[in-house]
Amino acid sequence: METRSKQGSVRRLEFDVDWPPGHVACYLIEGSEPILVDAALPDHEAAFRSQLAELGYEPGDIEHVLVTHPHVDHIGLVPTVLEEGDPTVYAPASVEERFNRDPDGLEARVRENCTQAGFPDEQLEMAVDMAVESLERNRELLPPTAVDVWIEPGDRTEIGDIEVDAVHVPGHQADHLSYPTELDGESVLLGGDMGIQPFRPVVMHDGLDDGHVEAFDAFYTALDRLAELDVDRVYPGHGAVHTDLTGAVERDRGSLDNRLERVTDLVADGYSTVPGVAMAIAGDRDVKYLIPETMSALAHLDATGELDSELRDGVRYYEP
């Protein structure tokens, strides 16, 4: 696996996780003002310090922290860097509004959506708790007051020795930005969880909040935007550093198409609710992350007229 660019200014820091592909990566861009791109999980602090030390750095040496999206495995060590230094922190602008969300309002929307989806009581309570806990945890890891520069889609932002453009790539996460830039004569993409190999990231968007209805459309839009980029190399948050963004985009588009086709087939076979379809897709695998993707897929197919649905006793049922 590659760990650096040809010229050696990008250093990959990789940490073990217990989901495929078994690791998460962030990147240290060396220069007169070291830049950290994403920040792994809170549990990775010891390994983070160790890997930085091998490169001759401490957390306090980092001058800039650039966030692609506010999932816990990409912002987990922001507090460590903030505690030991005074970095300039950059994050997608829409995260500010998301993190200022009233937890009670989020709980109410997720509860209503999960009730309408037909979740059993225990599964419903788990989904609601996860949504609220994720909001509260993530905004503690990336406090809006600690962000110095909110980056809007389309912005060009100077960060230390480099300039990055901001491409909005929702679908996996609603606020996600990927950052094309030039490093040592190469056109590269600091991709976060988009443009990764060898698999497509799950469609989570905003989880089981109201944005699930637009999640598939958002993901397709993100792929359209990535397809317009001409980059030599991709530095992703999972999977290997690679040189085939076009191939990754084409694979992800095909994977989304296949998921929608699979969901359509399952509804034709008699699986009529979100939990039923999700469990059928999961089989022996953990269904947790397939639930938001399944809910989003069914909402997309319903909205486009490829499936019909009706509410019966407060639960939405789908049919061909």
Side-chain angles (χ1 to χ4, degrees), residues 110-127:
V110 172
R111 183 176 299 279
E112 182 172 339
N113 291 338
C114 290
T115 298
Q116 191 175 110
F119 283 32
D121 289 344
E122 182 177 349
Q123 199 173 47
L124 186 151
E125 294 304 325
M126 182 183 303

Side-chain angles (χ1 to χ4, degrees), residues 26-312:
C26 56
Y27 296 91
L28 181 70
I29 301 175
E30 297 180 302
S32 63
E33 300 179 20
I35 303 165
L36 183 68
V37 182
D38 286 341
L41 282 161
D43 292 346
H44 294 143
E45 182 174 351
F48 177 65
R49 291 180 181 276
S50 176
Q51 292 185 41
L52 279 181
E54 290 176 3
L55 299 172
Y57 296 91
E58 297 177 351
D61 295 326
I62 294 168
E63 296 283 348
H64 305 274
V65 177
L66 176 62
V67 173
T68 61
H69 66 293
H71 280 166
V72 62
D73 55 328
H74 294 263
I75 59 173
L77 294 174
V78 171
T80 298
V81 180
L82 289 172
E83 286 167 7
E84 298 199 13
D86 187 25
T88 302
V89 178
Y90 310 76
S94 52
V95 171
E96 183 175 25
E97 180 178 356
R98 184 173 309 283
F99 279 7
N100 285 327
R101 178 83 179 272
D102 176 13
D104 291 341
L106 175 62
E107 177 181 350
R109 294 309 307 144
V110 172
R111 183 176 299 279
E112 182 172 339
N113 291 338
C114 290
T115 298
Q116 191 175 110
F119 283 32
D121 289 344
E122 182 177 349
Q123 199 173 47
L124 186 151
E125 294 304 325
M126 182 183 303
V128 170
D129 289 346
M130 283 180 59
V132 174
E133 289 169 5
S134 292
L135 171 63
E136 294 177 339
R137 176 199 63 212
N138 291 346
R139 69 183 179 191
E140 286 183 7
L141 293 170
L142 185 68
T145 55
V147 176
D148 301 286
V149 180
W150 293 108
I151 301 179
E152 297 280 358
D155 281 355
R156 173 165 290 183
T157 305
E158 183 175 341
I159 304 176
D161 299 330
I162 68 173
E163 287 186 338
V164 302
D165 293 320
V167 179
H168 187 210
V169 284
H172 172 64
Q173 198 281 324
D175 309 297
H176 197 310
L177 298 177
S178 291
Y179 302 105
T181 187
E182 294 288 330
L183 291 173
D184 295 325
E186 285 191 317
S187 176
V188 308
L189 182 68
L190 305 171
D193 277 358
M194 294 296 288
I196 64 178
Q197 294 281 22
F199 63 92
R200 171 181 62 80
V202 68
V203 180
M204 287 193 287
H205 203 55
D206 68 352
L208 304 177
D209 201 356
D210 293 345
H212 76 274
V213 174
E214 63 186 26
F216 266 75
D217 285 337
F219 209 127
Y220 279 118
T221 297
L223 295 178
D224 291 341
R225 291 170 181 161
L226 290 175
E228 294 176 355
L229 302 179
D230 181 14
V231 299
D232 301 313
R233 195 174 305 272
V234 180
Y235 291 97
H238 305 275
V241 176
H242 67 89
T243 59
D244 188 16
L245 178 60
T246 298
V249 168
E250 291 176 352
R251 183 211 58 229
D252 285 358
R253 196 184 306 278
S255 178
L256 291 178
D257 292 345
N258 289 339
R259 174 64 77 223
L260 293 174
E261 182 177 352
R262 173 69 169 145
V263 168
T264 301
D265 289 344
L266 285 169
V267 172
D269 289 341
Y271 296 92
S272 58
T273 64
V274 170
V277 174
M279 292 296 293
I281 293 172
D284 295 333
R285 295 175 294 161
D286 187 351
V287 74
K288 179 168 60 176
Y289 293 114
L290 285 172
I291 287 174
E293 178 162 306
T294 301
M295 183 181 287
S296 298
L298 286 164
H300 173 86
L301 292 165
D302 190 16
T304 57
E306 296 171 73
L307 293 176
D308 292 323
S309 75
E310 66 173 353
L311 280 174
R312 300 201 296 268

